[in-house]
Amino acid sequence: MDNCIFCKIVRAEAPADIVYENEDLLAFRDINPQAPTHVLVVTKKHFQHLDELPAHDLQLAGRILLSIKEVAQKLGVAGGYKVLTNCGEAAGQVVPHLHFHLLAGKKFLP
Ligand code: AMP
Ligand code: ZN
C-alpha cells in the first residue's frame, strides 16, 4: 500500500528501530512507547487488521504467533509480556496495517 506508514517501514522507505525480521514479519520499537518495552510486530504483507488474515493460511497465522514469541525471547522479556492487537477503528486502531503490540515492563497497558 503506497501511503501506509508500516508498508513504508517494511520497504525501508521510512525509518524504524528494527529489533527483529524474518520472511513474514518485521518488529520495531513503537515511537510512542506505553511500556518500558513496546515493540510492534508487523506483517510484511499489508492486511488491514486481524479480520483480513486469510482463514486458509494457517501456516502464516502460526508463524506470526511463534515469531512474536521469538521477538519476546530476543528482547529478553520471555515469560513476562503482553500481546495486543487492535482490530478496527472502533477498537482504537490508528494505523490500518495488521500489527501486534508486544508490551513488557512495569507499566502495562490495561
Ligand atoms: P494502533 O492504535 O494499534 O493502530 O497502534 C499504532 C501504533 O503505532 C501506536 O502505538 C503508534 O505510536 C505507533 N506508530 C505510529 N507510527 C509509527 C512509526 N512510524 N514508527 C513506530 N511506531 C509507530
Ligand atoms: Zn501497510
Side-chain angles (χ1 to χ4, degrees), residues 4-98:
C4 171
I5 181 62
F6 288 177
C7 282
K8 284 184 180 168
I9 290 172
V10 167
R11 293 195 301 263
E13 292 169 11
D17 185 358
I18 293 168
V19 297
Y20 177 92
E21 180 169 13
N22 67 21
E23 67 172 303
D24 304 304
L25 298 161
L26 194 64
F28 50 87
R29 294 193 190 274
D30 196 295
I31 39 164
N32 185 23
Q34 303 297 310
T37 296
H38 187 173
V39 162
L40 302 174
V41 182
V42 173
T43 52
K44 285 191 171 174
K45 191 168 174 198
H46 182 96
F47 302 105
Q48 202 162 341
H49 45 53
L50 194 56
D51 285 352
E52 277 201 354
L53 196 66
H56 60 84
D57 201 344
L58 294 179
Q59 297 220 336
L60 175 60
R63 288 201 303 272
I64 289 172
L65 198 57
L66 292 174
S67 298
I68 292 171
K69 185 182 84 159
E70 267 186 64
V71 175
Q73 281 167 348
K74 190 165 180 202
L75 292 169
V77 298
Y81 62 95
K82 180 182 294 226
V83 179
L84 178 146
T85 192
N86 292 318
C87 185
E89 267 179 62
Q93 186 177 9
V94 175
V95 178
H97 178 130
L98 177 61

